[in-house]
Amino acid sequence: MILEAAAQLFDREGLKATTNHIADRAGVSIGSLYQYFPNKHALMRALAQRHVRDASLRIDAAFKRLRHEEPPFEESMHAILEAVVDLHRDRPGLHRLMHRIAPRLPADLDMLSEFEAHIAGEIAYHLARCGRGGDDVELTAQTVVHAVDAHLHRVMTRRGMDIEQLVVLVDRLAPQT
């Protein structure tokens, strides 16, 4: 309830959202909010952690299906990109904010690095399977992951979730070999 209220207000107001407004929105006292979250940065951190956990589950479902079906490269990448974009459609302002300022402790950074490495590994698998990615498939996969991440969080959250922008970006980064 508190995290949902925080997500709504951070999406709409950014860091101008206050803990008082979040507590009001959640229908709890400010004391109750502070019992669990000492400040709005702790709320942001909790939202970021929840996002990575949820994203991992949803992305893994797409990866599992793609490994089973092994569609052509374009279809594989489109499915992965669609899953990634879907994770950000509902609250682009919140995602833009989390990407930029969510405080991260070493454990949070480790979790995020593992998540990115997992995604890069899956992308590398499909690049190699489809004869794409050049001489260093792992490097191409890492480049794709980080380019898509930056474009999604810094451009698309401001200008709309047009997946075709990402399809073109990936196609340019992953040449046929």
Side-chain angles (χ1 to χ4, degrees):
M1 178 164 50
I2 293 172
L3 285 180
E4 180 58 29
Q8 292 170 5
L9 290 173
F10 284 139
D11 181 55
R12 194 171 54 239
E13 299 175 17
L15 283 180
K16 293 177 185 171
T18 67
T19 51
N20 283 325
H21 289 129
I22 293 167
D24 286 345
R25 178 79 174 184
V28 300
S29 71
I30 191 67
S32 293
L33 183 145
Y34 284 138
Q35 181 179 359
Y36 299 101
F37 304 100
N39 54 46
K40 65 182 169 183
H41 294 288
L43 284 160
M44 182 63 65
R45 179 174 179 250
L47 288 167
Q49 289 172 330
R50 181 177 76 173
H51 174 63
V52 171
R53 282 192 307 271
D54 292 349
S56 184
L57 292 173
R58 290 174 63 186
I59 296 283
D60 280 348
F63 288 153
K64 183 178 179 182
R65 181 181 63 79
L66 292 170
R67 279 193 178 239
H68 175 73
E69 295 174 4
E70 293 193 333
F73 178 77
E74 291 78 10
E75 189 177 328
S76 296
M77 289 304 108
H78 200 278
I80 293 168
L81 294 172
E82 187 68 41
V84 168
V85 169
D86 279 348
L87 291 166
H88 299 83
R89 283 187 203 277
D90 62 339
R91 294 196 173 103
L94 171 64
H95 294 291
R96 184 174 53 253
L97 189 61
M98 283 192 300
H99 185 262
R100 288 294 208 177
I101 63 103
R104 294 187 177 103
L105 299 175
D108 298 330
L109 293 173
D110 290 345
M111 179 176 68
L112 188 57
S113 292
E114 288 174 20
F115 179 61
E116 291 168 345
H118 175 60
I119 293 172
E122 286 294 319
I123 299 292
Y125 169 82
H126 292 288
L127 288 168
R129 177 180 66 79
C130 298
R132 302 285 293 250
D135 293 334
D136 190 342
V137 173
E138 286 78 20
L139 177 61
T140 301
Q142 290 170 349
T143 302
V144 166
V145 167
H146 293 289
V148 166
D149 178 65
H151 189 77
L152 176 65
H153 288 103
R154 294 182 182 178
V155 177
M156 292 175 71
T157 56
R158 293 184 190 282
R159 300 186 69 186
M161 296 290 167
D162 179 6
I163 192 170
E164 296 310 314
Q165 296 173 12
L166 292 177
V167 171
V168 170
L169 178 66
V170 169
D171 196 48
R172 289 180 183 160
L173 293 172
Q176 288 186 305
T177 51

